[in-house]
């Protein structure tokens, strides 16, 4: 029975099917915590060590479970800490509800302790953003917030003053606010484009001689359909990072990733295609698309406002990728000329040979890609892989091979550091029976390292791989290759991550010898509980783009000439890698 406003809030969340809340307690949400304590049988509270991790965990939960993620934070500083994880959810189109406390309702705006106007603060990140004013307001606001987050695949925010949380549930209701008028029901929209648009799209694709498919995260539930389309069109499938799990990496139809983390064959596919099908992707890096006049294009996206966002498409098809592809497939003619696909496959074969060489090196210092490649041996066919942002994302994108029902995600559009470990918490809570792996760099991992305690507390059997090079590697290489400047401000003080893990109650291991990598990984993966492997790697191993431009090469040379401290070691490493590409 609901006795307080907080009870009404928690009960309504439960009626919407919410069963998990990620939070750190605070006095601004004590009323809500008391209600959660009394309802532990319905909603599980996962206590994190930082509110930023709560928001990231809610985003990870939403990404992998395809359900609403919920995070809760106290007033003022607690609510502010949520922002980075919430922007990650907004940028990657994930439904997350953020609930925050607020100062006493009759002291708001009077410079009282922790009085931050969180409604104003959340105005940009949240599509729905409201303060609860009393008991009769709760159900209406919760219903609007939940439906908006799910329908728009974005963030909603509710804030509630700390004293109002404890008000009686039987408060006064205005005459206009009829009791029980709001329903806890959401029905997903299933739009379909008209047949004329499908016919026009099919005509464009049928006329193309060199068709490419860019398949993003919107195609994750449409593997069967995207493979069928690739077969009919004899089209290579290029995968943006968030679409890595759309098709297995060993599929003969894919050339892997695109962008700075991608493959040379994928870049060549987009440079040479005369027709492009963009399905469920708003991959942001415009320089990797075909030149605007080069290819005719068709785009499928659930959000009509995203049609034509990155490329001047001729036909935009609004709808879920699996539905639109099913409707489009009968209109597609089987292509008999498979030259474009076979050329891409031959190039991909050579690329895979190069990745095999780079991923099995036995020289010292240990190369990070050796660890990523060895990891494949220990991954289950339904593993969930959460990767952080940095050079580590390159090694994951290129060397961790998707197969079976694996899932993979990173912070895509926001590309924020610190997401990896918190994502893995959300994934492990959503799927307690599945293998969850966090692949992080030492920079991003350090930011929310306290969440090791969360993993230990809830006995989440997450396997954590920390690539340790004591440098903010991506920034270092951007300074060198994009700015033409020597590295500055990127060196990190070394941390013994294995010791930190053990201090938190997580099994800790360390490896720096390439000959011992598989043995150490095997021990960690056979450990029954959570485990961390610290891999000490070469800080000079460059995350080279699939294709290096003349400008990148020139900027690199300039940085070396300006007096980069370890320039000869860097030059040696880069030259060795380029030699390995042609040997």
């Amino acid at each position: 029975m609901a006795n307080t406003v907080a009870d009404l809030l928690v009960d309504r969340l439960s009626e919407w099917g919410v069963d998990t809340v990620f939070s750190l307690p605070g006095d601004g949400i004590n009323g809500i915590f008391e209600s959660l304590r009394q309802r532990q049988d319905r909603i599980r509270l996962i206590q994190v060590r930082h509110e930023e991790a709560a928001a990231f965990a809610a985003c990870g939960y939403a990404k992998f479970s395809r359900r609403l993620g919920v995070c809760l934070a106290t007033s003022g500083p607690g609510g502010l800490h949520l922002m980075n994880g919430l922007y990650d959810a907004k940028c990657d189109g994930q439904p997350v509800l953020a609930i925050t406390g607020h100062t006493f309702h009759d002291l708001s705006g009077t410079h009282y302790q922790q009085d931050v106007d969180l409604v104003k603060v959340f105005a940009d990140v949240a599509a729905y953003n409201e303060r609860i004013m009393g008991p009769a307001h709760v159900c209406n606001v919760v219903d609007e917030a939940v439906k908006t987050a799910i329908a728009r695949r974005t963030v909603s925010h509710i804030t509630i003053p700390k004293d109002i949380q404890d008000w009686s549930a039987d408060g006064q209701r205005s005459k206009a606010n009829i009791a029980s008028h709001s329903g806890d029901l959401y029905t997903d929209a299933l739009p379909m484009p008209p047949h004329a648009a499908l016919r026009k799209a099919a005509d464009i694709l049928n006329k193309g001689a060199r068709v490419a498919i860019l398949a993003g995260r919107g195609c994750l539930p449409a593997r069967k359909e995207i493979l069928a389309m690739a077969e009919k069109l004899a089209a290579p499938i290029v995968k943006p990072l968030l679409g890595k799990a759309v098709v297995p990496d060993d599929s003969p139809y894919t050339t892997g990733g695109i962008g700075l983390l991608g493959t040379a064959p994928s870049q060549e596919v987009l440079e040479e295609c005369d027709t492009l099908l963009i399905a469920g992707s708003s991959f942001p890096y415009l320089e990797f698309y075909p030149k605007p006049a080069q290819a005719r294009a068709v785009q499928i996206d659930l959000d009509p406002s995203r049609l034509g966002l990155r490329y001047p498409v001729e036909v935009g098809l609004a709808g879920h990728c699996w539905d639109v592809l099913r409707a489009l497939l009968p209109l597609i003619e089987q292509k008999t000329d498979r030259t474009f696909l076979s050329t891409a496959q031959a190039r991909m074969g050579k690329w895979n040979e190069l990745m095999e060489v780079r991923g099995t090196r036995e020289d010292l210092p240990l190369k990070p890609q050796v660890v990523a490649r060895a990891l494949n041996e220990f991954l289950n066919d339904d593993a969930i892989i959460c990767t952080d942002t940095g050079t580590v994302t390159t090694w994951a994108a290129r060397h961790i091979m998707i197969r079976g029902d694996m899932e993979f995600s990173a912070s895509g559009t926001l590309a924020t550091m610190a997401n990896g470990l918190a994502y893995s918490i959300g994934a492990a809570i959503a799927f307690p029976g599945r293998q969850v792996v966090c692949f992080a760099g030492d920079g991003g991992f350090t930011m929310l390292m306290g969440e090791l305690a969360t993993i230990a507390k809830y006995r989440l059997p997450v396997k954590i791989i920390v690539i340790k090079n004591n440098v903010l590697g991506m920034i270092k290489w951007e300074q060198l290759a994009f700015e033409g400047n020597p590295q500055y401000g990127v060196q990190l003080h070394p941390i013994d991550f294995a010791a930190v893990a053990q201090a938190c109650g997580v099994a800790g291991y360390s490896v720096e010898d390439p000959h011992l990598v598989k043995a150490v990984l095997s021990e960690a993966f056979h450990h029954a509980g959570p485990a961390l492997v610290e891999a000490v790697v070469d800080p000079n191993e460059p995350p080279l783009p699939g294709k290096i431009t003349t400008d990148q090469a020139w900027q690199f040379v300039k940085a070396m000439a300006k007096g980069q401290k370890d320039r000869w070691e860097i030059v040696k490493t880069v030259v060795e890698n380029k030699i390995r590409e042609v040997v």
Side-chain angles (χ1 to χ4, degrees), residues 173-241:
R173 177 183 297 273
S174 68
K175 292 181 180 179
N177 187 5
I178 305 301
S180 302
H181 78 268
S182 181
D184 57 335
L185 174 68
Y186 171 79
T187 300
D188 196 16
L190 297 172
M192 278 294 291
H195 182 77
L198 291 168
R199 180 73 265 173
K200 185 177 179 181
D203 288 343
I204 291 171
L205 296 171
N206 287 333
K207 289 175 183 176
R210 301 183 303 279
V211 184
I213 298 173
L214 185 65
R217 62 183 173 85
C219 287
L220 287 172
R223 176 182 290 183
K224 179 180 177 182
E225 291 78 10
I226 208 72
L227 285 171
M229 184 65 71
E231 161 60 26
K232 273 197 164 187
L233 292 172
I237 300 171
V238 175
K239 302 188 295 182
L241 182 64

Side-chain angles (χ1 to χ4, degrees), residues 14-329:
S14 179
E15 287 165 4
W16 271 104
V18 172
D19 60 11
T20 303
V21 174
F22 300 94
S23 183
L24 184 69
D27 66 340
I29 48 175
N30 276 341
I32 298 173
F33 259 70
E34 172 59 16
S35 184
L36 288 169
R37 184 190 68 80
Q38 296 177 15
R39 290 158 176 77
Q40 297 176 58
D41 58 330
R42 282 182 274 165
I43 296 183
R44 184 180 186 185
L45 172 70
I46 302 298
Q47 177 213 71
V48 296
R49 293 303 183 100
H50 195 296
E51 289 94 350
E52 183 177 3
F56 276 133
C59 180
Y61 180 94
K63 280 190 171 187
F64 296 114
S65 71
R66 278 56 162 182
R67 297 177 61 197
L68 179 72
V70 180
C71 54
L72 168 66
T74 191
S75 54
L80 295 175
H81 280 161
L82 292 175
M83 295 301 289
N84 196 41
L86 295 181
Y87 269 103
D88 184 50
K90 175 185 177 180
C91 290
D92 280 357
Q94 299 304 314
V96 170
L97 171 62
I99 303 169
T100 62
H102 191 65
T103 194
F104 298 95
H105 86 283
D106 53 359
L107 289 174
S108 178
T110 66
H111 308 289
Y112 192 71
Q113 186 81 357
Q114 296 189 336
D115 183 11
V116 177
D117 190 340
L118 293 177
V119 171
K120 289 182 180 177
V121 171
F122 281 67
D124 180 63
V125 76
Y128 183 84
N129 184 23
E130 190 58 67
R131 180 184 298 181
I132 287 178
M133 306 300 289
H137 199 205
V138 174
C139 285
N140 308 352
V141 169
V142 171
D143 291 353
E144 289 282 345
V146 171
K147 284 186 276 194
T148 300
I150 297 172
R152 300 188 189 177
R153 302 170 308 285
T154 192
V155 175
S156 285
H157 169 237
I158 297 171
T159 191
I160 177 169
K162 60 187 301 181
D163 56 326
I164 291 181
Q165 295 169 34
D166 296 324
W167 286 5
S168 169
D170 299 323
Q172 187 176 359
R173 177 183 297 273
S174 68
K175 292 181 180 179
N177 187 5
I178 305 301
S180 302
H181 78 268
S182 181
D184 57 335
L185 174 68
Y186 171 79
T187 300
D188 196 16
L190 297 172
M192 278 294 291
H195 182 77
L198 291 168
R199 180 73 265 173
K200 185 177 179 181
D203 288 343
I204 291 171
L205 296 171
N206 287 333
K207 289 175 183 176
R210 301 183 303 279
V211 184
I213 298 173
L214 185 65
R217 62 183 173 85
C219 287
L220 287 172
R223 176 182 290 183
K224 179 180 177 182
E225 291 78 10
I226 208 72
L227 285 171
M229 184 65 71
E231 161 60 26
K232 273 197 164 187
L233 292 172
I237 300 171
V238 175
K239 302 188 295 182
L241 182 64
L242 294 183
K244 182 172 172 62
V246 168
V247 298
D249 280 311
D250 63 357
S251 168
Y253 291 101
T254 187
T255 51
I258 187 63
L260 292 174
L261 314 178
T263 72
S266 284
Q267 188 57 46
E268 288 160 345
V269 163
L270 293 188
E271 288 173 356
E272 298 171 6
C273 69
D274 64 10
T275 308
L276 177 64
L277 172 60
I278 305 171
S281 174
S282 59
F283 174 67
Y285 299 104
L286 307 180
E287 63 269 31
F288 292 97
Y289 284 83
K291 295 292 184 288
Q294 171 192 321
R296 304 182 71 187
V298 172
Q299 184 177 357
I300 304 169
D301 203 288
L302 185 57
D303 184 349
S305 71
R306 295 294 181 103
L307 296 171
L309 178 65
R310 311 295 188 198
Y311 195 79
V313 300
E314 291 185 47
V315 180
L317 304 173
H320 291 280
C321 285
W322 63 87
D323 280 338
V324 177
L325 287 168
R326 286 191 198 118
L328 190 57
L329 274 166

Side-chain angles (χ1 to χ4, degrees), residues 212-505:
I213 298 173
L214 185 65
R217 62 183 173 85
C219 287
L220 287 172
R223 176 182 290 183
K224 179 180 177 182
E225 291 78 10
I226 208 72
L227 285 171
M229 184 65 71
E231 161 60 26
K232 273 197 164 187
L233 292 172
I237 300 171
V238 175
K239 302 188 295 182
L241 182 64
L242 294 183
K244 182 172 172 62
V246 168
V247 298
D249 280 311
D250 63 357
S251 168
Y253 291 101
T254 187
T255 51
I258 187 63
L260 292 174
L261 314 178
T263 72
S266 284
Q267 188 57 46
E268 288 160 345
V269 163
L270 293 188
E271 288 173 356
E272 298 171 6
C273 69
D274 64 10
T275 308
L276 177 64
L277 172 60
I278 305 171
S281 174
S282 59
F283 174 67
Y285 299 104
L286 307 180
E287 63 269 31
F288 292 97
Y289 284 83
K291 295 292 184 288
Q294 171 192 321
R296 304 182 71 187
V298 172
Q299 184 177 357
I300 304 169
D301 203 288
L302 185 57
D303 184 349
S305 71
R306 295 294 181 103
L307 296 171
L309 178 65
R310 311 295 188 198
Y311 195 79
V313 300
E314 291 185 47
V315 180
L317 304 173
H320 291 280
C321 285
W322 63 87
D323 280 338
V324 177
L325 287 168
R326 286 191 198 118
L328 190 57
L329 274 166
L331 306 177
I332 299 298
E333 300 167 1
Q334 180 73 48
K335 290 196 185 297
T336 56
D337 184 352
R338 305 178 75 80
T339 306
F340 188 58
L341 176 62
S342 61
T343 299
Q345 289 171 333
R347 289 169 173 168
M348 196 59 192
K350 292 180 180 179
W351 176 268
N352 286 333
E353 290 175 7
L354 173 61
M355 292 300 102
E356 177 69 20
V357 170
R358 287 186 178 174
T360 55
R361 293 175 63 176
E362 298 182 348
D363 51 320
L364 289 169
L366 172 64
K367 308 306 175 188
Q369 59 267 41
V370 171
V371 183
R373 197 158 194 85
L375 188 59
N376 290 303
E377 188 174 319
F378 304 96
L379 296 176
N380 296 338
D381 284 351
D382 67 345
I384 300 174
I385 300 135
C386 308
T387 188
D388 216 303
T389 300
T391 54
V392 68
T393 322
T394 302
W395 317 130
R398 291 183 180 167
H399 293 277
I400 294 178
M401 306 302 289
I402 295 297
R403 63 177 187 271
D405 296 320
M406 285 183 183
E407 294 196 56
F408 173 97
S409 199
S411 175
T413 308
L414 188 61
T416 179
M417 298 169 68
N419 66 288
L421 187 60
Y423 270 22
S424 70
I425 292 171
I429 292 297
F431 297 102
R434 289 176 69 175
Q435 183 188 64
V436 177
V437 177
C438 170
F439 193 71
D442 49 359
F445 181 76
T446 304
M447 290 181 173
L448 288 175
M449 188 164 54
E451 299 311 321
L452 282 170
T454 304
I455 286 174
K457 176 177 181 175
Y458 295 102
R459 299 183 179 87
L460 305 177
V462 176
K463 308 305 179 187
I464 305 157
I465 314 300
V466 180
I467 301 299
K468 175 181 172 180
N469 57 10
N470 300 321
V471 66
L472 294 172
M474 186 61 76
I475 306 305
K476 168 183 174 176
W477 290 104
E478 286 174 346
Q479 289 174 349
L480 293 173
F482 293 100
E483 307 299 334
N485 297 324
Q487 66 180 48
Y488 181 73
V490 295
Q491 295 299 322
L492 299 175
H493 180 73
I495 295 174
D496 187 339
F497 294 107
V500 172
Q502 291 166 2
C504 292

Side-chain angles (χ1 to χ4, degrees), residues 358 361 368-369 391 394-395 398 473 477 538-545 556 570 573-575 577:
R358 287 186 178 174
R361 293 175 63 176
Q369 59 267 41
T391 54
T394 302
W395 317 130
R398 291 183 180 167
W477 290 104
D538 185 357
N540 292 323
E541 184 66 11
L544 294 172
F556 181 79
I570 291 175
T573 305
V574 173
V575 170
N577 281 330

